[in-house]
Amino acid sequence: GADMMLLCDVPVHELTAGDKQLLQPSRNWPMHQAQCYAHLKCGLRLVAGARYLLLGKNGCGKSTLLRAIHERTLPDWPSHVTTHLVAQNSPLPPGDTPLEAVLGADEREAGLLAEAEMIERAMEEETGDGWGDDEGDDDDDDDDGDDGEPEPDSKTDAMYQRLCDVYEELDALGAEDAGAREGRAMRVLQGMGLTPEQCVDPVHALSGGWKMRVALAAALFVSPRLLLLDEPTNHLDLRGVQWLQRYLANEYRGTVLCVSHDRAFIAAIAQRVVIFQNQALDYFNSTLEDFETAAKEKAAGRERMALNLERKKEDVKKQVKEMTKKASMGSKKGSSHSKAKEADAKQLKQAASRVKKLGRMGLEKTENGTKFNSQRHGIRIGADNNNDGGWDKHGKMTAAPVFVRDDPSLVFEFPACEPLVGVSEELPVVDLRSVSFGCRGAAPVFEDVNLVVRKGCRIGICGKNGAGKSTLVGLLTGALEPTRGEVIRNKNLVVGQYRQGFVSDLEALADDSALSYVSGKHPSLSEQECRAGLGAFGLRGNAVLLPLPTLSGGQRVRVAFAALAATAPHILVLDEPTNHLDIYSIDALVEGLRAFEGGVILISHDQRVIREVVEEVYEVLQKKRIVRRFDGDVGEYLRKFEP
């Protein structure tokens, strides 16, 4: 129907990152092999008005794809489809204040409005100058004036014509007048949590989190045909995430293509999934939850098919063995007459044909459950002739396993910590007693804080951006000293802290690899121990030797975790650990944290992670300058933010 209009359908198989081909190019292979049609699976097809989640593992090229769309480097990108990208480090639109940045983001509209203003001013000057000429300046050459008399007219006509065109274009864009436009920009900025004062304060004074909000506000204000969001929730607090969810679901009319790891946010906004894996784009026309249910069922089905296939292959192998044995038995008997020889030859021929059959044996059905057709689908999945398992030691082709259990690159395994002698479950390992903290001469960030950390705790520290959550963490870890009150800490306590800035710090270390970074931090560990430590967080093989800047954000998170886990901490203090991880890595992190024997103190705005890891919530309330324990369970706390 009309509601299924395609917004775009463009080939993306030329997408590369550096010299790495991200999507499968067509190979010039014999026609019966599926690879010669591979590029047909690499089109980006988006339905107008739909909201898509772009799903894929860390480092598969999701951000590269979004950038290529935004920079219009994809061939055949339709010119009428306007795009706007909000990414981790995308530059802010020009402007000295957040309001100016948002107003300036809509380049075409802003340009036309500026042009209209310029023409109007020029026309005023034109007509004004005419009057000026009449009154004085008699010493000007008379004939100059005469010749030029009709000229202002034609010039003014041209200007007037252009002004009409500009207004028509603005009408077509649905432009409001400047006042309405400013009002809309303010509303979007305030929705993102900025106060009216912040909207007109200098942009450069804002922290990274607030800049991200201004960038988001600018994107929503521009309202492009296709909004590209790369982890938009990363610098938002719970309130900001909820507001963005509502805006995208209820007010924004265009198409959304979004990379996100926040399951609650995805459930609220995405109705379709684009899956970026095995160097191809696949489409699933329903929610992530439905996709995962379908994938689970499909995996179970494939596992059954794989078992059947293995059984069948074993049977055929047995038959081949028996036939060859029979034939060789026949020759051993040494019967000279030709009938026996013929029978042997027949047996061997049959055995050879069975071996051939074995090479072709694969699953009965394709990925999407249709029956295999050798013309259309090439070699069956799971067949040795596909050779996707490589050559074995006898130089024979092998099949890759049809069903791969868990992805080893997803694990997060925290090491067991040394027991703290004489500390029971109930005794505090860190105790904040009537603590206040503030910089000299400034108002205190908070006063009279009492907080007890026990060795198996699961504490969530929540509050608005800039409320002082990181300051509280500094007092807990001992990085900051209180201005009043005392912090009592167990003297053998080892704290492992993950800071938000780790990922960008590691990106700057061009001379280090994951392995050299971890061994540099822990010189007493052998290379084998360092590799094992990195492996516990899913970094294996060649990846540990690559320069840190070439790793994806999610891989650098794992390097930071491996370095921190090597100290065998009793308490993990994690400040927004999920920001660069993909959905399935976060699932693995949650599992790892739940299995960890020590305590966890978590700052996060990811509703699902809070729900699954945290047992007690402490709120940092900026206006009241206090930190208080939330009276109620985690579910009740999260419900406060629902509309």
Side-chain angles (χ1 to χ4, degrees):
D3 51 59
M4 286 295 285
M5 290 246 313
L6 273 183
L7 177 81
C8 63
D9 184 356
V10 292
V12 286
H13 55 272
E14 290 171 14
L15 191 67
T16 52
D19 52 3
K20 184 174 147 210
Q21 185 80 35
L22 294 177
L23 287 147
Q24 178 71 52
S26 292
R27 300 194 190 170
N28 197 1
W29 279 13
M31 290 310 280
H32 66 276
Q33 301 220 347
Q35 274 82 351
C36 56
Y37 303 111
H39 68 287
L40 299 177
K41 291 190 72 173
C42 293
L44 179 69
R45 282 182 299 283
L46 302 178
V47 170
R51 296 193 295 271
Y52 291 89
L53 166 71
L54 179 57
L55 180 68
K57 271 168 53 178
N58 278 132
C60 74
K62 302 186 295 292
S63 300
T64 310
L65 176 60
L66 292 185
R67 258 200 318 279
I69 295 171
H70 178 61
E71 291 165 2
R72 297 178 171 262
T73 53
L74 293 179
D76 310 332
W77 184 261
S79 57
H80 66 280
V81 176
T82 51
T83 63
H84 195 101
L85 170 68
V86 181
Q88 290 301 316
N89 38 16
S90 46
L92 271 181
D96 298 332
T97 68
L99 180 61
E100 283 174 19
V102 169
L103 288 170
D106 197 347
E107 290 151 19
R108 195 159 153 227
E109 190 170 0
L112 288 168
L113 283 166
E115 189 182 351
E117 200 178 326
M118 208 172 68
I119 295 172
E120 281 169 358
R121 203 176 305 122
M123 283 171 76
E124 274 168 26
E125 282 170 13
E126 271 297 315
T127 48
D129 282 356
W131 288 111
D133 275 1
D134 269 6
E135 273 180 26
D137 296 349
D138 281 335
D139 39 330
D140 253 0
D141 254 350
D142 224 20
D143 58 0
D144 189 37
D146 281 348
D147 287 349
E149 229 172 326
E151 203 207 6
D153 271 355
S154 59
K155 197 169 167 190
T156 318
D157 280 351
M159 279 190 191
Y160 181 69
Q161 191 49 53
R162 177 63 195 140
L163 189 60
C164 291
D165 292 348
V166 168
Y167 277 131
E168 254 172 49
E169 270 185 69
L170 280 169
D171 268 351
L173 280 177
E176 321 107 305
D177 62 33
R181 209 162 165 275
E182 201 163 297
R184 189 163 64 92
M186 285 295 278
R187 188 168 68 84
V188 176
L189 279 164
Q190 286 172 3
M192 289 270 83
L194 279 85
T195 61
E197 298 76 55
Q198 273 176 311
C199 292
V200 291
D201 283 347
V203 162
H204 58 79
L206 295 175
S207 71
W210 287 106
K211 282 187 176 145
M212 179 69 165
R213 289 165 176 238
V214 174
L216 264 169
L220 298 177
F221 176 77
V222 171
S223 200
R225 296 283 301 274
L226 175 60
L227 180 59
L228 305 163
L229 301 175
D230 194 351
E231 300 292 5
T233 61
N234 267 5
H235 293 285
L236 302 180
D237 50 30
L238 282 168
R239 232 175 224 104
V241 174
Q242 291 278 0
W243 187 89
L244 179 61
Q245 263 167 224
R246 286 201 297 278
Y247 192 96
L248 291 175
N250 307 330
E251 300 209 21
Y252 174 67
R253 290 278 166 269
T255 309
V256 180
L257 181 59
C258 173
V259 172
S260 174
H261 56 242
D262 184 326
R263 277 181 180 274
F265 174 74
I266 292 163
I269 73 138
Q271 325 127 314
R272 297 170 181 228
V273 187
V274 180
I275 305 105
F276 194 150
Q277 68 174 3
N278 304 335
Q279 292 189 296
L281 297 178
D282 286 305
Y283 295 84
F284 186 80
N285 283 343
S286 186
T287 61
L288 176 66
E289 199 181 340
D290 291 348
F291 167 71
E292 288 176 331
T293 311
K296 266 201 194 99
E297 287 167 6
K298 189 165 163 184
R302 277 184 92 78
E303 197 170 7
R304 282 196 301 276
M305 279 160 69
L307 282 171
N308 272 340
L309 177 63
E310 286 315 306
R311 263 205 301 272
K312 280 185 186 165
K313 281 186 177 181
E314 285 309 312
D315 286 348
V316 174
K317 278 179 191 161
K318 240 190 237 147
Q319 290 170 5
V320 169
K321 224 177 185 168
E322 279 166 16
M323 287 170 176
T324 343
K325 197 170 157 194
K326 259 189 193 164
S328 63
M329 289 287 283
S331 350
K332 270 186 191 150
K333 282 180 191 158
S335 54
S336 55
H337 53 92
S338 55
K339 265 220 170 115
K341 275 188 178 162
E342 249 172 55
D344 291 349
K346 199 173 173 187
Q347 288 280 2
L348 285 170
K349 200 172 168 187
Q350 280 179 331
S353 104
R354 290 291 153 95
V355 169
K356 256 186 167 168
K357 180 182 175 182
L358 191 61
R360 290 195 304 266
M361 275 178 81
L363 297 187
E364 296 293 315
K365 291 183 175 171
T366 64
E367 279 279 344
N368 9 351
T370 52
K371 221 166 155 44
F372 241 102
N373 169 323
S374 57
Q375 235 67 50
R376 254 209 326 274
H377 302 122
I379 300 172
R380 292 170 183 240
I381 297 171
D384 292 347
N385 290 359
N386 237 343
N387 204 25
D388 46 7
W391 306 91
D392 72 2
K393 56 179 185 291
H394 308 299
K396 290 216 167 78
M397 299 203 274
T398 65
V402 173
F403 187 75
V404 182
R405 268 247 162 273
D406 288 332
D407 184 337
S409 69
L410 289 180
V411 294
F412 279 80
E413 285 169 14
F414 294 96
C417 35
E418 291 294 313
L420 285 168
V421 184
V423 176
S424 70
E425 290 301 320
E426 288 310 303
L427 274 176
V429 288
V430 183
D431 193 355
L432 270 62
R433 298 187 177 177
S434 306
V435 164
S436 298
F437 179 83
C439 300
R440 196 174 290 130
V445 181
F446 32 65
E447 299 176 288
D448 198 26
V449 174
N450 294 290
L451 198 160
V452 170
V453 177
R454 296 187 173 82
K455 71 176 184 187
C457 69
R458 292 287 183 270
I459 292 174
I461 296 176
C462 298
K464 285 185 171 174
N465 284 63
K469 301 186 292 272
S470 301
T471 309
L472 180 58
V473 163
L475 290 167
L476 288 169
T477 57
L480 298 172
E481 287 300 320
T483 38
R484 274 215 310 281
E486 58 177 339
V487 179
I488 300 163
R489 208 177 270 105
N490 182 305
K491 65 179 189 303
N492 300 319
L493 182 73
V494 180
V495 176
Q497 185 182 4
Y498 175 86
R499 294 190 334 276
Q500 271 196 66
F502 261 145
V503 172
S504 44
D505 294 351
L506 292 181
E507 192 171 8
L509 303 175
D511 301 333
D512 263 321
S513 66
L515 190 60
S516 66
Y517 175 77
V518 174
S519 58
K521 288 267 181 224
H522 306 283
S524 60
L525 297 179
S526 69
E527 178 179 332
Q528 207 36 53
E529 287 170 318
C530 289
R531 276 181 178 272
L534 285 158
F537 293 93
L539 276 178
R540 291 182 173 74
N542 190 32
V544 305
L545 302 173
L546 298 171
L548 288 171
T550 63
L551 297 180
S552 72
Q555 288 170 314
R556 289 199 294 272
V557 170
R558 294 161 185 283
V559 177
F561 267 119
L564 152 167
T567 59
H570 300 104
I571 301 277
L572 292 169
V573 177
L574 311 176
D575 189 351
E576 299 289 7
T578 60
N579 272 1
H580 296 271
L581 296 175
D582 59 47
I583 299 174
Y584 298 111
S585 301
I586 293 174
D587 291 350
L589 174 63
V590 166
E591 265 173 49
L593 289 175
R594 291 175 74 154
F596 177 59
E597 295 165 7
V600 177
I601 298 173
L602 177 74
I603 296 179
S604 178
H605 59 258
D606 189 310
Q607 302 165 55
R608 175 174 156 271
V609 175
I610 295 171
R611 188 171 275 123
E612 300 216 359
V613 175
V614 170
E615 285 161 16
E616 46 178 341
V617 174
Y618 281 88
E619 289 183 280
V620 181
L621 300 170
Q622 194 174 9
K623 285 186 180 143
K624 296 183 178 170
R625 298 204 188 117
I626 57 168
V627 175
R628 68 163 182 220
R629 188 168 185 272
F630 178 72
D631 186 21
D633 68 12
V634 176
E636 283 172 58
Y637 176 74
L638 291 172
R639 277 196 290 280
K640 283 185 12 176
F641 299 97
E642 287 169 9

